[in-house]
Amino acid sequence: MEMAEVIEISNSAMVDISYDGLKIDVKVLPKEKNENIECACYLYSNDQIMYKSDYKYNNSHIFYLPKKDAVDLRVKVFFRSIEKPSVKKSRYYPVIIKEDFRYSFLRSNLEKVSLNDSEIIISTVESIQLYEKEGFKPRKDSVPYVLTVPIDWSFDPFDDRNWMYQLHAWRMLEPYFNRNNIEDLDYIAKIINDWIYFEKNNTSEWLWYDMSVGLRALKISLYLKYCYEKGVDHQILDLDYFFHEHLRHLSNPKELNSGNHGLFQLHGLKSLVYVLASCNKDAYSIENIRAYANEQMGKLITSQLGQHGVHTENSPDYHFFTHKRLIKMVNSPWWNDLDAAILNLLKQGELAKAWLVFPNNKCVPIGDSHTGSAISKLPKLESWPHVKFDKYIGAKVDGYAIIRSCETTPVKKSSFLFFQGSFYSHHHKHSDDLSLILQENGVDLLIDSGKYGYHKDKYREYFLSTSSHNTIEVDEQSTTRSQNYTYGSAIAQEPKYIDGFWVLKGKVDHKVNQYIHERILVYKPKEELYVIDILINKRSDSLRNVNQWWHFDTDTEVVIKEEKVLVQTNKKLMTEITSQCSNNQINYHTYKGYESNGKLIGWVSKSYLQYEPTSTLRISTILDKKTTILTRFILSQKLLVEPTISLIKDQIITKNFNLYSYIND
């Protein structure tokens, strides 16, 4: 390309420049599309270069400059040949301010913003004293870290993603919001201004991390409310820029998290729109953003709670976490226009809570759940569709199935069986397909190994794995947690009560691992539990190794005795385990706190990032074309030795015709 061609293109090109008092948007539009030309831009103010934008083919360049710094603005556009970069031409263009989009705020709505609506943890003055003396400590298990302005907002001192999220959510400011003195507002502004300055001059994945952005937006709305209440001017040096960027990121569908983080993004976005009285039409339309936030919140609540009101991120703890916050959110003044169908779904979510706890009302630790403290104010079990017989009650709760004692039974005499078959999302999902948890008399017999935490290490990998759950593992490979292979609910039917036995069924086609797993639980509370695993190999030309894993609490001793396994807790409860296989190949192996060559077996995590040895049983066999495993748990020492269900070749046999018919249906 010759210079004459470049000059001709530069002379004929249209350069569209818009400036609304903060954002300068330069679009270079050649008269004819030419893939051999690229453009760069320099922004001048008072003959000084303020910013540079490198050569790019898409010819769109954006700068941010507050109106107060705009003096005799010009843009210098460079046109050059991609083939011969030395062949270039430049032209100057003036920048005219179309209109100042300075945001104004509704005082009547600022008055209605509250601490309770702003997702701020309630704290005392002592929290400020501890922060100023020791440093930032967002979690109880965190090591305090002193934050000194200017803060390096990209520095991760503990290699802890949760810590970085909390830093950019400005959790350190929450005690100051609680106290709400004039000097507290000064400190809040100091931190906000420091963050804005850093953001303008640096890049980091955490600056616009989804949930952090929403929580920051809520804080700025509350900060403006406090300033209004006290009759003082806000001290944010570039509030227009802050508002503009937060509205831009939070209203971008591509940045909206599809999980529970997205709820906080939309909550923060709607709070900003709520306090705004007006802004220039060239900035952002308040009405459009309000409509977008409502539409997306409705979609997100539906995706979070599914068709039945049960949280879809495979972790009961997150059902409580998300539902509580959803209710709190929709009660905020800026969500008074949500659709009625969404509110009804939230009511269903409230009723599901009763089924996601043990008889002592503590959360069932499935997926990334933590048992924690007892949950108060739960609805009645009978409020959810259920099957009830005598002292026991059962229900299918979307991707979970539960058999348990009725609420009137004391915890020390209770029974509880929880069957996991939920996979709607990769969020908080463990490789725990068709795993189960069992309690008798309030004592843990079969446990989930725990959440551990979000720190990427060998322990997090183990606690996510199939081998850390009470389920089947093939070829020592965990089942996939990829979003591409979600199956919704593996629990196809409601619990069935047949002549003293409760029956639960689940089935998963593991497409990645290439086998089908059907699991049937036959449970007689206080007496016995039968676990029937039917495996179909989708690799017809290969023999495969199969492990059936069972995990027990830390106070449990597991002993292999001839062709059975004895399990005893320190509560003097004895459980006997026997197993049969259609190929007559069964081997028992026990572990406790095992670690070799990076492989972990027999660990449990009962608190964040903590782990300890626990007893684990592995029952191993082989999968050819089809393998059936029948494992029996004798829960009462008084029970007769004769089993109700047995396995002959690959046929499940029982003298109870009704039970036989349903199992083999």
Side-chain angles (χ1 to χ4, degrees):
M1 179 174 286
E2 302 299 326
M3 176 62 78
E5 294 178 76
V6 175
I7 292 174
E8 182 182 348
I9 290 171
S10 68
N11 288 337
S12 63
M14 291 180 58
V15 178
D16 179 63
I17 303 173
S18 63
Y19 180 38
D20 51 20
L22 177 63
K23 179 182 176 182
I24 301 168
D25 191 352
V26 182
K27 291 184 175 66
V28 184
L29 309 169
K31 187 175 182 181
E32 295 182 5
K33 186 176 181 180
N34 193 315
E35 296 181 356
N36 296 317
I37 285 288
E38 58 183 358
C39 301
C41 283
Y42 286 4
L43 176 66
Y44 288 78
S45 178
N46 201 23
D47 292 326
Q48 298 293 316
I49 296 177
M50 303 298 290
Y51 298 104
K52 297 179 180 180
S53 178
D54 290 337
Y55 282 99
K56 58 178 72 174
Y57 172 66
N58 67 11
N59 298 334
S60 178
H61 307 264
I62 294 176
F63 307 99
Y64 289 96
L65 190 72
K67 183 181 176 183
K68 60 183 176 62
D69 297 330
V71 179
D72 189 22
L73 288 184
R74 290 185 299 162
V75 167
K76 187 177 184 181
V77 180
F78 297 84
F79 301 80
R80 80 174 182 186
S81 167
I82 294 176
E83 300 168 346
K84 297 179 180 179
S86 60
V87 178
K88 56 186 176 182
K89 175 69 176 176
S90 62
R91 292 174 61 89
Y92 284 96
Y93 299 88
V95 178
I96 301 171
I97 302 177
K98 289 184 177 180
E99 189 175 348
D100 185 353
F101 70 58
R102 192 171 181 82
Y103 294 100
S104 60
F105 305 101
L106 271 173
R107 291 189 174 185
S108 59
N109 284 357
L110 281 173
E111 291 174 351
K112 297 174 186 175
V113 176
S114 71
L115 188 76
N116 185 57
D117 295 325
S118 303
E119 298 296 330
I120 288 176
I121 298 170
I122 302 300
S123 60
T124 61
V125 175
E126 285 73 23
S127 299
I128 295 176
Q129 296 168 349
L130 282 172
Y131 167 69
E132 294 178 348
K133 180 181 178 181
E134 299 180 5
F136 177 48
K137 187 179 178 182
R139 299 189 310 265
K140 289 182 179 180
D141 65 310
S142 299
V143 176
Y145 183 82
V146 176
L147 296 173
T148 304
V149 175
I151 297 168
D152 182 353
W153 293 89
S154 65
F155 182 56
D156 182 355
F158 305 110
D159 190 24
D160 185 337
R161 292 182 61 81
N162 181 268
W163 192 92
M164 289 297 287
Y165 136 69
Q166 306 242 34
L167 175 74
H168 283 269
W170 298 342
R171 291 291 193 193
M172 78 292 289
L173 296 181
E174 296 188 2
Y176 296 93
F177 275 107
N178 274 275
R179 189 169 67 177
N180 186 23
N181 292 337
I182 290 290
E183 59 268 26
D184 296 326
L185 298 182
D186 292 340
Y187 183 73
I188 290 169
K190 181 180 179 180
I191 294 297
I192 293 176
N193 287 329
D194 183 71
W195 185 91
I196 293 173
Y197 180 82
F198 185 91
E199 189 276 338
K200 284 184 174 182
N201 295 280
N202 298 274
T203 58
S204 167
E205 66 170 307
W206 292 105
L207 289 168
W208 297 104
Y209 177 70
D210 48 37
M211 187 170 172
S212 297
V213 186
L215 293 175
R216 284 200 304 265
L218 291 163
K219 288 181 174 67
I220 201 67
S221 298
L222 185 62
Y223 169 77
L224 293 172
K225 180 253 178 64
Y226 282 172
C227 290
Y228 165 71
E229 277 186 342
K230 296 185 183 303
V232 298
D233 291 333
H234 72 79
Q235 299 302 310
I236 308 302
L237 298 180
D238 205 341
L239 184 62
D240 277 357
Y241 175 82
F242 180 90
F243 248 86
H244 194 81
E245 286 301 279
H246 278 70
L247 287 172
R248 181 167 73 90
H249 284 279
L250 290 171
S251 63
N252 183 353
K254 294 181 180 179
E255 295 184 48
L256 181 62
N257 185 285
S258 61
N260 68 74
H261 290 196
L263 300 171
F264 295 91
Q265 290 175 277
L266 295 170
H267 193 40
L269 175 63
K270 195 75 182 290
S271 79
L272 293 181
V273 173
Y274 182 72
V275 301
L276 281 175
S278 64
C279 60
N280 178 270
K281 62 182 176 63
D282 291 327
Y284 284 100
S285 163
I286 294 176
E287 286 305 316
N288 287 347
I289 291 181
R290 182 181 289 116
Y292 164 82
N294 280 7
E295 179 185 3
Q296 295 301 323
M297 181 59 99
K299 289 180 179 179
L300 203 50
I301 290 176
T302 301
S303 71
Q304 290 276 295
L305 297 183
Q307 296 180 347
H308 308 287
V310 181
H311 194 244
T312 56
E313 293 188 1
N314 323 294
S315 302
D317 202 10
Y318 278 89
H319 180 89
F320 290 100
F321 172 83
T322 305
H323 190 270
K324 179 180 178 180
R325 277 152 181 78
L326 281 172
I327 293 297
K328 188 177 179 183
M329 285 178 186
V330 301
N331 286 333
S332 301
W334 46 85
W335 290 115
N336 59 6
D337 51 356
L338 268 182
D339 189 80
I342 300 302
L343 299 178
N344 287 332
L345 196 61
L346 287 168
K347 291 178 182 177
Q348 283 296 105
E350 178 66 24
L351 302 181
K353 290 180 179 179
W355 290 93
L356 304 179
V357 296
F358 290 117
N360 63 3
N361 289 345
K362 292 186 177 182
C363 180
V364 178
I366 293 292
D368 277 337
S369 296
H370 175 62
T371 299
S373 303
I375 298 167
S376 59
K377 297 181 180 178
L378 289 167
K380 294 292 184 182
L381 288 167
E382 289 83 356
S383 300
W384 186 271
H386 62 277
V387 178
K388 187 176 180 181
F389 191 86
D390 196 18
K391 298 178 181 179
Y392 299 99
I393 187 169
K396 176 181 179 293
V397 184
D398 204 349
Y400 310 121
I402 304 98
I403 305 298
R404 55 163 293 169
S405 301
C406 294
E407 292 164 311
T408 54
T409 304
V411 172
K412 290 185 178 181
K413 294 183 179 181
S414 65
S415 296
F416 182 87
L417 175 65
F418 193 98
F419 193 24
Q420 146 61 6
S422 175
F423 188 9
Y424 284 94
S425 162
H426 70 282
H427 295 290
H428 305 294
K429 169 68 174 166
H430 288 206
S431 296
D432 58 357
D433 310 273
L434 304 183
S435 184
L436 61 116
I437 292 175
L438 178 66
Q439 280 188 356
E440 290 292 353
N441 300 317
V443 176
D444 292 315
L445 293 184
L446 294 173
I447 67 168
D448 184 274
S449 294
K451 166 184 176 178
Y452 181 62
Y454 302 117
H455 186 66
K456 291 184 178 179
D457 59 16
K458 62 183 180 182
Y459 291 101
R460 175 62 173 171
E461 185 177 348
Y462 170 71
F463 288 112
L464 287 171
S465 72
T466 296
S467 61
S468 72
H469 297 90
N470 300 313
T471 191
I472 290 290
E473 177 191 52
V474 175
D475 292 335
E476 298 187 5
Q477 297 294 314
S478 289
T479 53
T480 184
R481 301 187 301 276
S482 168
Q483 186 70 35
N484 295 328
Y485 295 95
T486 58
Y487 51 72
S489 173
I491 313 296
Q493 298 166 301
E494 300 290 332
K496 187 79 169 178
Y497 180 80
I498 303 173
D499 300 332
F501 288 91
W502 292 86
V503 185
L504 304 176
K505 290 184 176 183
K507 187 176 183 178
V508 176
D509 183 352
H510 293 291
K511 294 181 174 64
V512 174
N513 302 74
Q514 293 186 283
Y515 68 92
I516 296 171
H517 180 200
E518 181 179 3
R519 173 166 274 188
I520 303 170
L521 306 182
V522 183
Y523 178 45
K524 192 171 189 177
K526 296 280 191 301
E527 295 190 16
E528 53 185 340
L529 168 67
Y530 295 88
V531 180
I532 304 166
D533 287 314
I534 303 169
L535 304 172
I536 298 175
N537 191 359
K538 296 173 75 174
R539 294 181 192 167
S540 57
D541 59 343
S542 64
L543 288 176
R544 309 178 69 180
N545 295 315
V546 174
N547 292 321
Q548 188 189 61
W549 291 99
W550 302 111
H551 300 272
F552 310 94
D553 208 356
T554 52
D555 62 357
T556 302
E557 292 296 326
V558 180
V559 179
I560 300 171
K561 189 174 181 180
E562 298 177 350
E563 296 183 355
K564 61 185 177 182
V565 178
L566 300 179
V567 179
Q568 183 170 350
T569 71
N570 68 359
K571 303 288 186 182
K572 305 302 181 184
L573 293 176
M574 179 69 76
T575 302
E576 181 180 307
I577 304 173
T578 57
S579 194
Q580 297 174 267
C581 186
S582 55
N583 58 28
N584 295 317
Q585 298 182 55
I586 281 288
N587 292 287
Y588 300 115
H589 318 264
T590 62
Y591 306 85
K592 190 166 188 175
Y594 173 87
E595 181 176 1
S596 178
N597 297 323
K599 185 175 182 62
L600 302 172
I601 307 174
W603 298 88
V604 65
S605 177
K606 296 187 177 183
S607 57
Y608 196 77
L609 298 181
Q610 301 299 307
Y611 53 89
E612 57 184 307
T614 197
S615 297
T616 293
L617 172 65
R618 175 169 69 95
I619 301 176
S620 61
T621 187
I622 297 295
L623 171 60
D624 189 356
K625 294 181 179 179
K626 178 181 178 182
T627 294
T628 301
I629 307 169
L630 172 64
T631 302
R632 182 193 188 198
F633 293 80
I634 301 176
L635 308 175
S636 171
Q637 298 177 36
K638 300 177 182 179
L639 191 66
L640 295 175
V641 178
E642 184 70 24
T644 305
I645 301 173
S646 58
L647 178 66
I648 299 178
K649 293 185 177 181
D650 62 350
Q651 293 296 309
I652 301 298
I653 304 299
T654 176
K655 294 178 181 179
N656 187 312
F657 176 78
N658 293 328
L659 197 56
Y660 176 86
S661 299
Y662 187 71
I663 290 173
N664 291 284
D665 183 16

